[in-house]
Amino acid sequence: MTTPTRILPAGDRALLVELDSEPLVVSLTERLRRTPVPGMEDVLPAARTVLVTTTPRTDLDEVRRALRTMTVDLEAHDHTGVPESEPVTIPVRYDGADLADVAGLLRMSRDDVIAAHTAATWRCVFIGFAPGFAYLSCGDDRLTVPRRAQSRTVVPAGSVALAGGYGAVYPRSSPGGWQIIGTTDSPMWNLDAEPPALLQPGRRVRFVDEETL
Amino acid sequence: MSELEVLETGPLSLIQDLGRPGYLSSGVGVSGAADRGSARLANRLVGNDENGACIEVLMGGLALRARTVTTVAVTGAPATALLDGIPMGHASVIVMEPGQTLRLQYAQVGLRSYVGVRGGLAVPDVLGSRSTDTLSGIGPEALKPNDVLPVGTWTRNFPNVDVAPVPAMDPGPLSVRVIGGPRDDWFTNPDALTTGAWAVSPDTDRIGARLNRHAGAPALQRTSEAELPTEGVALGSIQVPPSGQPVVFLADHPISGGYPVIGVVADEDIDRIAQARPGQLIRFTTA
């Protein structure tokens, strides 16, 4: 399979690889983690792109060629040879302040929202906004809601939220505009752990209703 | 262990080394000294590894007292360093005897001075770095009066120079090289970036140097107001929000963003933007 890929300049120490789907982003990220290209310093996957940063004086033309080769036969969820780890389980109390609003926006009952949220297998696509803030996606388009019209100045750590087609858990108290549907005690960010973020790009996640445990 | 007492801090004094690369996928940026070259030089002058933890002083105003013999060097913005009131050379090796006080006056040019300390500041590291990331709140807190900073031990020989020749900092327009992309195609007139001059706005910080158009030069026009899916942004990225007022991302920049990046400042020129004062003019040239 040939993947339409653009490799865009991002200065003299980085390249931005643009892919045509989210699963391809996850695949390229995993490939780069297994086989770093020469001079690579770090990799940052996002919605449709992977930023590859390099150490000073790396020959970016060489990196570009290596990335080109790597993306030619890239396929979605390419886990060849790497057994996929079990999903991370996150127990949730579905007591979020926006749960009723989310149900209204989705024309679903509160219980249907919870059922859809717990039935889906989510995947961490990228981390952004704050340390450990994982953007999770799932195949279920029914859970797509907009951000709140008014952002909250304080969203407590452990808030389980939805917005813009993504799910997330706030790793620490911060301002935020996502719709909060529940709360978890699972620590998303722990500086004493390696890596400190519970979820890494590519990692799968299942939410479980605490009431059913 | 040797220690330094903090008497005064000026507007903002932070501990910085060369940052914590390798944690982007956990949501943590590199951070580190905004002017990396000056931090490296401060460390070299006192015989440290270039990555030693030093103090980044915004505008000057820091005062330190040595408890034991302590060797320091001040680089970056040329804030005059007074040792018990006696002016010391910029980018030179300064030996503080026990009880002596080093005081940085306010810099007349540049924005950030670096105080390198022989042995480095031995505060606990976070994810392999002692730098303070002001955006994500990781690393040591900003210095406060009465803090006592531990100084590490040194093993290497002392370098064979006691003054480093550094070019004078220029308060005039800075010429900065920029590499177009990744999203220059989101603008009807990407060449407007390199036309005329930009002025550094007063609300510039370690996250970014915010720029205003200077003297009626053309504004940047986006081809559409469509939302760009979140993507990773490199150090030095010039991000253009719908207002058309760009931000040049510096050490503590967010790792990803949803506004298009029209170009990225050449790595070698980022240190100079980090030293640009509010009001100072910047001209971008194509690298």
Side-chain angles (χ1 to χ4, degrees), chain A:
Chain A
M1 177 181 135
T2 305
T3 310
T5 303
R6 287 205 300 164
I7 301 179
L8 304 170
D12 51 10
R13 284 190 51 192
L15 291 167
L16 188 71
V17 186
E18 191 177 59
L19 298 148
D20 74 347
S21 80
E22 206 170 78
L24 290 173
V25 168
V26 174
S27 298
L28 178 60
T29 306
E30 287 181 3
R31 251 188 207 200
L32 285 167
R33 199 150 287 143
R34 288 205 299 274
T35 321
V37 292
M40 186 173 103
E41 184 173 78
D42 209 344
V43 175
L44 180 59
R48 284 287 182 277
T49 56
V50 179
L51 181 76
V52 178
T53 65
T54 68
T55 53
R57 288 171 294 281
T58 295
D59 181 352
L60 281 187
D61 288 336
E62 209 172 287
V63 175
R64 186 185 289 267
R65 277 193 295 276
L67 287 169
R68 179 68 65 199
T69 308
M70 198 174 267
T71 52
V72 163
D73 60 347
L74 194 65
E75 287 182 42
H77 298 295
D78 161 24
H79 303 294
T80 22
V82 180
E84 181 143 53
S85 55
E86 281 298 299
V88 176
T89 301
I90 299 180
V92 180
R93 291 183 296 281
Y94 285 93
D95 56 2
D98 302 322
L99 183 55
D101 286 354
V102 167
L105 284 163
L106 297 176
R107 298 170 197 270
M108 290 162 87
S109 72
R110 180 185 165 282
D111 285 350
D112 287 346
V113 173
I114 297 169
H117 194 252
T118 52
T121 298
W122 299 78
R123 189 180 284 275
C124 173
V125 188
F126 61 96
I127 306 264
F129 177 62
F133 192 101
Y135 284 71
L136 308 174
S137 77
C138 72
D140 193 343
D141 290 340
R142 290 181 304 160
L143 291 173
T144 297
V145 288
R147 290 160 160 274
R148 281 166 48 82
Q150 285 278 309
S151 178
R152 289 188 172 91
T153 53
V154 181
V155 176
S159 295
V160 178
L162 295 171
Y166 292 105
V169 179
Y170 280 74
R172 58 176 191 171
S173 175
S174 69
W178 291 42
Q179 312 264 8
I180 300 165
I181 61 170
T183 316
T184 182
D185 296 327
S186 292
M188 306 304 291
W189 179 251
N190 175 8
L191 275 173
D192 296 325
E194 178 53 47
L198 175 67
L199 303 178
Q200 296 285 308
R203 198 72 204 265
R204 290 179 305 152
V205 180
R206 293 294 297 271
F207 293 102
V208 191
D209 187 349
E210 270 197 5
E211 280 188 14
T212 66
L213 287 179

Side-chain angles (χ1 to χ4, degrees), chain B:
Chain B
M1 183 183 263
S2 175
E3 289 170 331
L4 274 172
E5 291 171 48
V6 177
L7 306 180
E8 291 162 36
T9 64
L12 183 66
S13 291
L14 301 171
I15 296 178
Q16 296 293 344
D17 54 21
L18 296 180
R20 50 179 71 78
Y23 288 95
L24 293 183
S25 58
S26 283
V28 178
V30 176
S31 187
D35 173 355
R36 300 155 297 172
S38 294
R40 285 194 182 98
L41 177 61
N43 278 308
R44 286 203 301 276
L45 277 167
V46 295
N48 290 347
D49 184 278
E50 287 189 333
N51 192 29
C54 58
I55 308 176
E56 180 179 280
V57 187
L58 182 67
M59 309 285 288
L62 176 76
L64 300 171
R65 185 157 59 209
R67 288 192 171 174
T68 52
V69 175
T70 307
T71 304
V72 300
V74 182
T75 61
T80 301
L82 304 173
L83 184 62
D84 278 355
I86 298 166
M88 298 282 121
H90 187 64
S92 71
V93 176
I94 301 168
V95 178
M96 300 172 72
E97 297 293 335
Q100 282 196 308
T101 298
L102 182 83
R103 197 174 288 276
L104 297 194
Q105 295 185 313
Y106 283 89
Q108 301 297 313
V109 56
L111 211 51
R112 298 178 167 98
S113 305
Y114 293 83
V115 181
V117 181
R118 188 168 196 215
L121 297 172
V123 298
D125 70 289
V126 179
L127 305 178
S129 163
R130 298 182 165 98
S131 66
T132 302
D133 182 336
T134 59
L135 182 73
S136 54
I138 289 175
E141 287 184 23
L143 300 191
K144 305 179 297 297
N146 303 320
D147 281 351
V148 176
L149 306 175
V151 176
T153 49
W154 54 86
T155 50
R156 288 172 41 181
N157 290 335
F158 213 69
N160 212 1
V161 318
D162 50 17
V163 174
V166 286
M169 255 181 207
D170 189 353
L174 297 177
S175 179
V176 170
R177 291 164 294 171
V178 61
I179 296 134
R183 300 293 172 193
D184 44 350
D185 57 349
W186 276 55
F187 298 87
T188 58
N189 58 342
D191 292 346
L193 184 73
T194 50
T195 308
W198 300 86
V200 176
S201 127
D203 58 349
T204 187
D205 56 20
R206 282 179 49 86
I207 294 167
R210 289 164 182 82
L211 305 180
N212 293 318
R213 242 334 182 181
H214 177 69
L220 291 170
Q221 309 274 350
R222 277 172 56 169
T223 52
S224 85
E225 293 307 310
E227 201 173 324
L228 179 71
T230 302
E231 63 187 24
V233 288
L235 178 69
S237 288
I238 306 170
Q239 179 187 265
V240 187
S243 68
Q245 305 304 106
V247 183
V248 184
F249 279 144
L250 299 177
D252 292 351
H253 70 87
I255 60 172
S256 59
Y259 296 132
V261 168
I262 191 171
V264 182
V265 172
D267 194 57
E268 273 186 17
D269 291 355
I270 291 170
D271 289 355
R272 292 192 300 129
I273 295 218
Q275 290 289 5
R277 287 171 89 109
Q280 192 161 2
L281 298 186
I282 292 181
R283 287 179 199 282
F284 292 111
T285 62
T286 307

